[in-house]
């Protein structure tokens, strides 16, 4: 479930259930975290494509045999992408999962 929707070219956030705990400034936080998370997803996607598992035309995995590290990072990417909240349902967990996946593939590429 998305945290907002596009309206006349800009994002409108559905924050009715958030402001009691997070206050009215939550929109600024959401925009910053969304941008950060989108950049991380793009970086992970590029790493997966470089490993040969990600098919940019279909958004699916290419058939093949991959290490646990690469297959796990692909699973994490699809999980995070499929959530459609840009990590906001559990930002700490999602951000850590994204960062660990990027770090794992970056270390693999450096070998």
């Amino acid at each position: 479930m998305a945290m907002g929707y596009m309206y006349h070219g800009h994002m409108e956030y559905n924050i009715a259930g958030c402001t009691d705990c997070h206050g009215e400034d939550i929109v600024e936080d959401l925009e910053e975290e969304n941008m950060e998370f989108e950049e991380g997803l793009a970086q992970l996607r590029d790493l997966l494509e470089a490993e040969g598992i990600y098919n940019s035309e279909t958004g699916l995995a290419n058939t093949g045999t991959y290490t646990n590290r690469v297959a796990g990072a692909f699973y994490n990417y699809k999980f995070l992408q499929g959530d459609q909240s840009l990590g906001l349902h559990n930002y700490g967990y999602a951000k850590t999962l994204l960062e660990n996946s990027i770090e794992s593939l970056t270390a693999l590429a450096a070998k």
Side-chain angles (χ1 to χ4, degrees):
M1 179 175 118
M3 296 296 296
Y5 55 92
M6 293 302 292
Y7 181 73
H8 294 286
H10 70 280
M11 180 63 78
E12 286 289 326
Y13 291 100
N14 181 8
I15 60 170
C18 307
T19 55
D20 286 348
C21 296
H22 298 283
E24 294 295 327
D25 294 336
I26 190 169
V27 172
E28 292 174 21
D29 295 338
L30 286 174
E31 289 174 346
E32 183 178 324
E33 289 173 353
N34 280 355
M35 188 170 48
E36 204 175 283
F37 202 80
E38 285 177 326
E39 290 170 358
L41 277 177
Q43 183 181 359
L44 180 56
R45 183 196 61 235
D46 292 346
L47 290 167
L48 291 166
E49 196 168 2
E51 289 296 329
I53 192 170
Y54 182 78
N55 184 321
S56 60
E57 291 180 20
T58 65
L60 302 173
N62 289 313
T63 303
T65 303
Y66 302 98
T67 64
N68 288 342
R69 182 182 289 196
V70 172
F74 180 79
Y75 177 85
N76 292 343
Y77 174 77
K78 295 305 281 185
F79 173 77
L80 295 168
Q81 179 193 42
D83 177 53
Q84 298 182 8
S85 76
L86 296 175
L88 294 178
H89 288 137
N90 187 342
Y91 191 74
Y93 174 77
K95 184 177 178 184
T96 299
L97 190 62
L98 181 58
E99 289 171 347
N100 288 350
S101 297
I102 290 169
E103 183 180 316
S104 178
L105 290 183
T106 301
L108 183 64
K111 286 184 177 184

